[in-house]
Amino acid sequence: MTVAQELDQLLAEALAALAQARSAAELEQLRVRFLGRKSRLAEVMKTLPALPAEERAAVGKRGNQLKAALEARLAAARETLAADTAREPLDVTLPGAAIPQGWLHPVTQTIEAVLSLFIPMGFEVVEGPELELERYNFDALNIPRDHPSRESFDTFFVEASSPEPKKGRLLLRSHTSPVQVRVMERRKPPLRIVVPGVVYRPDPLDPSHSFMFHQVEGLMVDDRTSFADLKGALDLFLKTLFGPRTKTRFRPHFFPFTEPSAEVDIACASCGGRGCPTCGKKGWLEIMGCGMVHPNVFKAVGYDPRAVQGFAFGLGVERIAMLRHGITDIRLFFENDLRFLEQC
Ligand code: PHE
């Protein structure tokens, strides 16, 4: 057997032995046996200078390869061993890892709370498109083009050709009221609907403004619906949502699509109406807009304004969620920071 063949055999033998080794001590023994100062490899390397030139090169090369291969394998074996010892033994009595539970977003929770109070009063949940036609967002709601009341609704117009040019330009709806029109156009009274949805307004972001937020719209139409019905329904709604002792106030206001119109306030729960930073020292918090459906809106959808009466209301969901949870910055709803969401 030549020296080179002997080295090959040695490598095979060493690898086989390494594969069996089960402890750091065994690995060390193998290192000494195959690579140590008294190993066969060391002996062979010592004889190198005495060998004839061609053989010296071949044997030297084989020897170095063997050394490198064994060292690499030893290092790998040590690492595997260390990882195995680091791993704790399995304790089957430990409780399992908790799977984090999901939550509904506070905006969704609030929408569900609002809807669940109107559904028992006979209201049906309806939705409409966020990309809306000018006719539904404005014209049919008694907000003609060039009328100053449009100014109170800053709007994102969309630069795309409208599928129905006669109904005007396309826009991102600035309120959920267009769904009133869409539903009345399709159906005959009596009607009771609530409409949750996203609306858009080009407001600069600040703690109480966002260019996208949610509203819930309500509409009731029947042959005889009065302002007293409106007051009764909203008063009951707000007392159920904010507590039975909640005081409500209907303050005259203007909306183009309702007449008469009102804004609804609740007495500030933080100060009991005395005035504090939450209510801006007013003692009251504005909660929603409402009114009796304007005859022009009924005309626009083909109803006879002498034969039907109706009320409508619209509320801002984030505002209600902020009051319910004591949140002071609307932007928190849209940042999706789990530390915030987990608290709601
Ligand atoms: N659409 C109104 C707004 O966004 C709210 C409203 C709805 C007022 C229905 C009256 C009746 O401000």
Side-chain angles (χ1 to χ4, degrees), residues 77-258:
R78 280 197 201 100
E79 242 173 65
T80 322
L81 212 63
D84 284 350
T85 18
R87 203 175 301 140
E88 303 218 338
L90 179 67
D91 179 351
V92 291
T93 67
L94 281 178
I99 297 169
Q101 228 197 325
W103 288 262
L104 288 179
H105 192 281
V107 167
T108 311
Q109 288 180 33
T110 307
I111 290 177
E112 290 194 352
V114 170
L115 298 182
S116 71
L117 297 179
F118 282 102
I119 291 168
M121 294 191 233
F123 285 76
E124 173 196 347
V125 180
V126 180
E127 288 181 306
E130 290 170 34
L131 185 60
E132 188 50 283
L133 286 157
E134 196 172 12
R135 165 170 145 70
Y136 292 112
N137 197 79
F138 290 127
D139 304 82
L141 286 166
N142 197 31
I143 319 176
R145 214 175 204 174
D146 304 324
H147 192 277
S149 62
R150 269 210 192 187
E151 275 170 26
S152 58
F153 292 93
D154 277 344
T155 307
F156 285 114
F157 282 90
V158 176
E159 282 187 27
S161 50
S162 163
E164 293 166 88
K166 267 196 270 143
K167 295 185 176 179
R169 293 173 288 174
L170 280 172
L171 46 78
L172 294 178
R173 66 179 177 196
S174 55
H175 52 175
T176 40
S177 303
V179 188
Q180 291 186 29
V181 181
R182 287 185 172 272
V183 171
M184 287 192 281
E185 238 180 22
R186 279 200 319 263
R187 302 201 212 159
K188 293 270 151 276
L191 279 177
R192 282 181 208 188
I193 56 163
V194 267
V195 185
V198 179
V199 302
Y200 302 85
R201 290 184 196 174
D203 287 331
L205 269 175
D206 70 27
S208 49
H209 291 92
S210 165
F211 48 80
M212 182 217 78
F213 57 99
H214 297 75
Q215 289 189 331
V216 175
E217 186 88 9
L219 172 72
M220 164 160 181
V221 184
D222 213 329
D223 51 358
R224 284 167 62 135
T225 307
S226 69
F227 202 91
D229 295 326
L230 170 62
K231 280 185 88 169
L234 294 188
D235 187 64
L236 174 63
F237 161 64
L238 292 170
K239 283 191 163 67
T240 319
L241 194 65
F242 289 106
R245 279 192 293 279
T246 304
K247 272 198 248 161
T248 56
R249 168 172 94 170
F250 287 70
R251 183 168 34 78
H253 194 72
F254 171 79
F255 293 106
F257 31 88
T258 47

